[in-house]
Amino acid sequence: VQQRLVLTYLDISSWDLACEFNNTDHRTDLNGVGRLIVRRGQAFTINLQLQSGAYDAQAHSLCFIVEAGPEPLEESGTRAEFCVSDSIDDTCWSAMVTSPPGDTLCVSISSAPDAAIGRYTLTLDQHGYKINLGEFVLLFNPWCPRDSVYMDDEEALKEYVLAQDGIIYMGDHNYQLPMAWDFGQFEEEILDACLRILDVNPKCQKNQAEDCSARRNPIYVTRVISAMINCNDDNGVLMGRWQEPYEGGVKPMLWRSSVGILRQWCRESCSAVRFGQCWVFAAVACSVSRALGIPCRVITNYLSAHDTNQNLVIERYVNEKGEPEKRTRDSIWNFHCWVESWMTRPDLPSGYDGWQASDPTPQEKSEGVFCCGPVSVKAIKQGELSFKYDAGFVFAEVNADVQTIMRLPDGSTRDVISPAIVGQKISTKSVGSDHREDITHLYKYPEGSDEERETFKKAEHLNKLQQHKDVGLDLTIKLGDSLRKGCDFDVFALAKNNTSKNKRCRLLLASRAVSYSGVIGGDCGYKDLLNVDLPPGGERKVPLRLNYNKYADALTQDNLIRLAALLIDYSNGDTVLSVRNVVLDNPEIKIKILGEPKEHRKLAAEITVQNPLPVPISSCCFSLEGANLTGGRTITERWTTVEPGQEAKVKVYFTPTHSGLRKLLVDFDSDKLCHVKGFRNVIIGK
């Protein structure tokens, strides 16, 4: 007698995706608890409310379908169908019942640790009777050992994934300036903006199904982020501009947060936000990476080379005064920022997992697109220039040789001895503190070491292996005291004769305003001594006074002055050039918190800045913002005129939304004193 199969169904009246519980458990609750946001490779719980009856594992078949993208396919990793079993399988999508018999059925669902990130639909299937349970967002999971972005360091994860603010280093390799930044990856609308970046990228527009499937791989996603943060060949987030005018947009130095940039890009139908420079590109890329679950940090490389012809040599031309001439596209930036993201590299030989450098600033094309990386930082250190992606370009940024050539008025040229070492004081914020961490050793071996020499041989960096000519003349630039904006101060050229012969030389000492990217501005002071006599072993110290009334109008937003000293030996024409940048200090912004900081309670801050200039300043504006402090918006307060030596003082109110350590970021701008920045750490209680 043939047995008849009886299909039984659970009578489900309602269901709950337990967003608050799951989001908190998956460390996504700062995104809000109004929708389900979970990390791959980690179980989450849903609750099914039964109208009648109870669940019986022998009688009921409960299956689930998860789908992502326009053409979900199991072989593409964008669709999975799985049934409730006795236990969770942490290698694939799986489910198990975790509650005792009763009116509420609790089901634990675990995603595959290599599932594609993005938006999913969740469907319950009982023998073909399907219920759409809703949607959820799946992110990378650096807490999951099977995820390719896994990082086995809880303190590092707090810094590189959960921290919503940080520090980016600017200034000069001799004087690193910390600037606080609001990454704001958990602020309202930001996660949706990050997912939209993935959706409008050209690879997705060309083949949505293939792109969705590729989102399993953080290497692919990081490369898309690198391309999409700039707008050079897509609907990217930011348009770059490196000098005036900035009409029609925001000066790059005015940005302090990624939040306003990403919101504006989304609200204006993916139109590029104007304008960004390297630290802005890097900061926004860091925000997007952290939002998607990839551990990420912003890196600053001082004296960063831009090698356009891939010969690992920067050809630098100067005129007879030692002032730079634009003869090639090669350049050395005072500093340059990019990001590092943490992941495995199964596409490379073993040993190259960990930090991977990528650069969203549009400099050169990679595979036809303005993007760079990700490339293993270890590969850069080892000189593996054939490794994906763009190893040669990043290697040159930290290792390129510099050749200085003087072009004379008659058109002839002369080689100039000019010691210049690119890739200095490579910096990032330390884990758990506001101190600077020097990570130069992760990118390169010590200068002159055997390991460095072997790396250069492997990279065929022949110029670096050559001994540079020593002409017996030393030339350095020394700085005086009080290098503050508004002050007059002295700089010095120090020439020394290390030979056994008398030397008669010409010495020039010039100063020009300069941008961080090397664009030369106005004259700030100049001295030309036609006859400088240097006996054997002798030296000469030549001062140059820089006056505020001369450099004030020449300065760019970067507060940088380029000093160039040139020493020419009349006896043989040997020429030595020394270059040094001066960073002028802005005044300190004093921030005083009034009252006890508590979440959801109005808080006041008193902000004070003193005018250090010898002239009045007017049209003064204070701007404040901070993750979980100002609701993702910028608060502004204005002040009229401040006389020399006097203070502008305002009181600003805001309401913190979450407890914990937060950074309150403050900017001050006026007609003559611009881009003054400060921050204060605030501990918000519950």
Side-chain angles (χ1 to χ4, degrees):
V1 179
Q2 201 172 29
Q3 252 188 344
R4 185 175 163 187
L5 181 65
V6 178
L7 301 179
T8 56
Y9 299 86
L10 279 176
D11 188 5
I12 299 172
S13 60
S14 62
W15 53 90
D16 175 19
L17 298 184
C19 297
E20 183 171 359
F21 172 80
N22 287 317
N23 289 11
T24 302
D25 190 45
H26 284 246
R27 302 175 178 86
T28 64
D29 52 305
L30 286 175
N31 285 300
V33 293
R35 58 175 170 168
L36 184 59
I37 304 170
V38 292
R39 300 186 186 275
R40 65 186 193 175
Q42 180 178 342
F44 61 94
T45 298
I46 64 169
N47 303 313
L48 304 176
Q49 195 66 36
L50 305 183
Q51 189 160 302
S52 60
Y55 171 71
D56 182 348
Q58 302 300 318
H60 298 110
S61 173
L62 285 183
C63 295
F64 294 91
I65 302 169
V66 291
E67 295 180 315
E71 299 175 23
L73 296 170
E74 290 188 21
E75 55 267 32
S76 298
T78 52
R79 185 184 192 276
E81 189 169 346
F82 51 97
C83 297
V84 166
S85 61
D86 295 335
S87 61
I88 289 290
D89 183 346
D90 60 7
T91 66
C92 60
W93 287 92
S94 58
M96 66 177 290
V97 172
T98 58
S99 59
D103 295 339
T104 301
L105 184 67
C106 300
V107 181
S108 180
I109 298 175
S110 182
S111 58
D114 61 349
I117 65 160
R119 292 185 178 87
Y120 279 80
T121 59
L122 176 63
T123 304
L124 174 64
D125 185 356
Q126 296 187 82
H127 304 294
Y129 174 64
K130 297 178 180 179
I131 301 174
N132 181 1
L133 300 179
E135 297 183 350
F136 65 95
V137 176
L138 188 66
L139 305 176
F140 290 110
N141 190 356
W143 286 270
C144 173
R146 292 184 180 273
D147 197 310
S148 50
V149 299
Y150 174 64
M151 177 180 271
D152 186 18
D153 185 333
E154 187 61 35
E155 291 305 308
L157 287 166
K158 289 178 184 177
E159 183 71 53
Y160 300 135
V161 179
L162 299 180
Q164 294 188 78
D165 46 43
I167 289 176
I168 299 172
Y169 290 93
M170 305 173 75
D172 180 73
H173 74 287
N174 290 312
Y175 191 63
Q176 306 90 29
L177 286 178
M179 180 186 70
W181 189 272
D182 173 17
F183 295 114
Q185 67 269 31
F186 299 123
E187 295 280 8
E188 191 176 350
E189 302 178 56
I190 299 306
L191 179 57
D192 289 323
C194 298
L195 294 173
R196 192 170 184 184
I197 286 172
L198 300 184
D199 289 341
V200 302
N201 94 82
K203 293 180 180 179
C204 183
Q205 299 297 307
K206 183 178 179 180
N207 189 325
Q208 286 185 303
E210 190 175 284
D211 174 81
C212 261
S213 175
R215 295 181 193 179
R216 295 178 290 179
N217 185 352
I219 302 169
Y220 176 86
V221 171
T222 298
R223 194 153 170 81
V224 167
I225 294 171
S226 174
M228 283 297 298
I229 298 305
N230 70 75
C231 70
N232 283 42
D233 34 31
D234 46 43
N235 291 318
V237 176
L238 276 162
M239 179 182 294
R241 179 161 292 177
W242 280 265
Q243 59 190 82
E244 297 279 2
Y246 295 111
E247 282 80 8
V250 175
K251 287 184 178 181
M253 192 63 80
L254 292 178
W255 295 115
R256 292 294 297 276
S257 170
S258 305
V259 176
I261 294 170
L262 289 167
R263 283 178 176 169
Q264 181 179 328
W265 177 78
C266 254
R267 291 171 181 175
E268 296 186 0
S269 304
C270 306
S271 295
V273 178
R274 306 181 183 198
F275 295 100
Q277 292 178 3
C278 71
W279 67 91
V280 187
F281 287 106
V284 175
C286 185
S287 298
V288 175
S289 298
R290 290 183 183 183
L292 297 177
I294 302 173
C296 191
R297 61 188 187 182
V298 177
I299 305 301
T300 300
N301 176 40
Y302 289 98
L303 296 178
S304 189
H306 181 182
D307 177 26
T308 58
N309 55 10
Q310 300 180 351
N311 65 350
L312 302 180
V313 177
I314 302 300
E315 293 88 6
R316 182 170 63 177
Y317 286 85
V318 297
N319 62 21
E320 71 278 8
K321 293 182 180 180
E323 298 169 337
E325 291 187 341
K326 196 66 177 172
R327 296 281 177 173
T328 72
R329 290 179 59 234
D330 285 355
S331 59
I332 300 175
W333 291 19
N334 204 50
F335 68 86
H336 181 56
C337 297
W338 58 74
V339 294
E340 288 177 358
S341 305
W342 183 271
M343 65 193 72
T344 60
R345 289 303 297 264
D347 57 328
L348 300 179
S350 63
Y352 294 96
D353 298 340
W355 290 118
Q356 313 290 319
S358 63
D359 190 349
T361 300
Q363 297 183 86
E364 301 295 324
K365 286 190 174 184
S366 171
E367 297 182 342
V369 177
F370 277 102
C371 68
C372 179
V375 57
S376 166
V377 172
K378 293 177 184 176
I380 299 304
K381 185 172 183 177
Q382 300 300 332
E384 298 288 1
L385 304 195
S386 64
F387 282 10
K388 292 182 176 179
Y389 291 88
D390 311 303
F393 186 81
V394 180
F395 182 86
E397 287 185 302
V398 300
N399 283 307
D401 195 22
V402 181
Q403 291 184 351
T404 305
I405 303 162
M406 177 182 289
R407 188 173 295 277
L408 301 173
D410 63 4
S412 62
T413 59
R414 176 192 298 168
D415 288 339
V416 176
I417 293 95
S418 180
I421 303 173
V422 304
Q424 296 292 293
K425 300 288 179 66
I426 305 175
S427 303
T428 193
K429 178 186 177 296
S430 294
V431 171
S433 84
D434 289 339
H435 296 121
R436 183 183 71 89
E437 181 181 356
D438 192 312
I439 59 168
T440 309
H441 64 284
L442 299 182
Y443 280 84
K444 55 202 294 188
Y445 287 105
E447 196 80 22
S449 65
D450 291 340
E451 294 91 343
E452 182 197 51
R453 188 171 183 83
E454 289 305 310
T455 297
F456 289 159
K457 284 181 179 178
K458 185 186 296 183
E460 297 183 352
H461 194 3
L462 304 180
N463 285 76
K464 275 281 193 174
L465 297 174
Q466 296 174 358
Q467 293 294 321
H468 292 284
K469 182 180 178 182
D470 182 4
V471 297
L473 293 173
D474 280 346
L475 184 62
T476 56
I477 296 174
K478 303 292 184 183
L479 305 180
D481 298 324
S482 301
L483 302 181
R484 297 190 302 271
K485 190 171 183 179
C487 292
D488 300 339
F489 57 92
D490 292 314
V491 297
F492 305 90
L494 185 63
K496 187 175 182 180
N497 178 10
N498 296 320
T499 73
S500 58
K501 298 179 180 179
N502 287 305
K503 293 285 186 180
R504 173 162 286 189
C505 303
R506 180 184 179 187
L507 192 152
L508 301 93
L509 181 54
S511 61
R512 299 280 295 271
V514 66
S515 73
Y516 89 98
S517 60
V519 178
I520 297 297
D523 175 40
C524 299
Y526 179 74
K527 182 172 284 189
D528 185 357
L529 301 182
L530 294 177
N531 293 298
V532 175
D533 291 316
L534 296 171
E539 63 180 37
R540 175 82 178 270
K541 188 176 184 180
V542 176
L544 175 64
R545 186 76 168 171
L546 298 186
N547 297 304
Y548 171 77
N549 60 11
K550 183 155 189 180
Y551 69 71
D553 293 334
L555 283 180
T556 71
Q557 64 174 13
D558 304 307
N559 274 4
L560 286 172
I561 295 177
R562 179 186 185 272
L563 305 175
L566 195 67
L567 189 65
I568 303 171
D569 184 347
Y570 284 126
S571 66
N572 54 23
D574 285 341
T575 304
V576 181
L577 174 68
S578 180
V579 177
R580 181 168 183 172
N581 287 338
V582 176
V583 182
L584 297 185
D585 278 334
N586 273 321
E588 177 190 4
I589 295 180
K590 296 178 181 178
I591 306 169
K592 183 179 180 181
I593 302 299
L594 307 177
E596 184 182 4
K598 294 274 190 179
E599 64 180 356
H600 307 301
R601 181 193 294 177
K602 184 180 283 189
L603 186 64
E606 184 181 83
I607 317 295
T608 308
V609 67
Q610 185 181 54
N611 176 13
L613 306 184
V615 295
I617 57 175
S618 58
S619 303
C620 305
C621 180
F622 291 88
S623 302
L624 284 82
E625 55 192 312
N628 302 133
L629 293 177
T630 62
R633 63 190 180 94
T634 301
I635 302 172
T636 59
E637 292 287 342
R638 299 192 178 276
W639 192 274
T640 53
T641 301
V642 186
E643 296 296 326
Q646 299 301 303
E647 292 181 338
K649 183 183 293 186
V650 297
K651 188 181 290 185
V652 183
Y653 295 90
F654 54 95
T655 304
T657 55
H658 291 86
S659 61
L661 179 64
R662 308 296 175 198
K663 280 184 170 57
L664 180 63
L665 283 56
V666 180
D667 273 43
F668 175 82
D669 267 291
S670 67
D671 61 334
K672 297 182 179 68
L673 184 64
C674 302
H675 315 308
V676 183
K677 300 181 183 298
F679 71 92
R680 172 164 180 164
N681 290 326
V682 185
I683 299 176
I684 308 298
K686 291 192 174 182

